[in-house]
Amino acid sequence: KKLALVESLTMGTCFGEFANVSNGKINDSIGYFKIINNISDLIDCKGVDRDIVSTKGLYSVDSTYEISTAVINEAGCDLVLSSLAEYNETSEQAIAYLAVGDQDGIHIYKQTIKGDKSVIGKLVAHNMCFYLIRKLKQNAFFLFSSIIVILE
């Protein structure tokens, strides 16, 4: 099975963790990888509806759904795992939209995560991995030889 992976605030943390647990065989399981830094990165993705992203903004349920469906359709992957998350310095919290799904449907979870910016990215990545593992168990998918993600 192939995974499409999209990260924003996590800046490749999930990808790095998958590389660690797959003993360097990550290319066998990751069919698509992209980091979204700004709204232009999102709009430039093939299959993303520019009007929805322009109206709803970068960090929203709608934009997360757009990138997730576009990536899984365009990349021809079996699963998609994505996050669009923004850290607010003033309130010291992140609003994260995490998506996991397949061709049958995509589930989006909105989370508010409080904490120091230095740990927020790892917390968001940890939650992404949790939802991926749950999806894998539900569908009896096998990704990598086994998936055990431990974020320190």
Side-chain angles (χ1 to χ4, degrees):
K1 300 291 179 181
K2 294 282 186 183
L3 174 69
L5 181 59
V6 178
E7 299 186 61
S8 61
L9 180 70
T10 53
M11 298 298 292
T13 303
C14 276
F15 184 87
E17 289 299 322
F18 293 155
N20 288 339
V21 298
S22 69
N23 296 322
K25 297 179 183 174
I26 194 164
N27 291 336
D28 296 340
S29 297
I30 302 290
Y32 179 92
F33 175 68
K34 181 161 184 72
I35 293 178
I36 304 290
N37 291 311
N38 54 50
I39 201 159
S40 296
D41 290 344
L42 185 59
I43 290 173
D44 290 344
C45 290
K46 188 176 179 182
V48 170
D49 187 325
R50 293 171 181 251
D51 293 334
I52 289 175
V53 174
S54 297
T55 304
K56 301 296 183 175
L58 177 57
Y59 306 106
S60 68
V61 170
D62 298 284
S63 294
T64 305
Y65 181 79
E66 279 297 307
I67 188 64
S68 299
T69 56
V71 164
I72 200 165
N73 290 331
E74 295 298 326
C77 292
D78 303 293
L79 294 164
V80 64
L81 178 64
S82 61
S83 75
L84 293 178
E86 177 179 42
Y87 185 76
N88 183 311
E89 298 278 348
T90 306
S91 63
E92 293 187 338
Q93 68 181 17
I95 304 293
Y97 298 92
L98 312 176
V100 64
D102 54 25
Q103 291 292 341
D104 294 329
I106 295 173
H107 299 277
I108 300 172
Y109 305 90
K110 179 182 178 184
Q111 298 183 332
T112 302
I113 304 168
K114 295 187 180 213
D116 186 70
K117 188 175 184 178
S118 63
V119 298
I120 289 286
K122 283 197 173 204
L123 291 173
V124 171
H126 178 67
N127 291 344
M128 290 173 70
C129 292
F130 168 79
Y131 289 121
L132 177 62
I133 290 167
R134 192 166 94 178
K135 178 68 176 172
L136 292 170
K137 285 182 177 181
Q138 285 174 346
N139 291 38
F141 278 129
F142 295 97
L143 186 68
F144 311 120
S145 56
S146 64
I147 183 163
I148 300 170
V149 179
I150 299 170
L151 298 171
E152 298 176 3

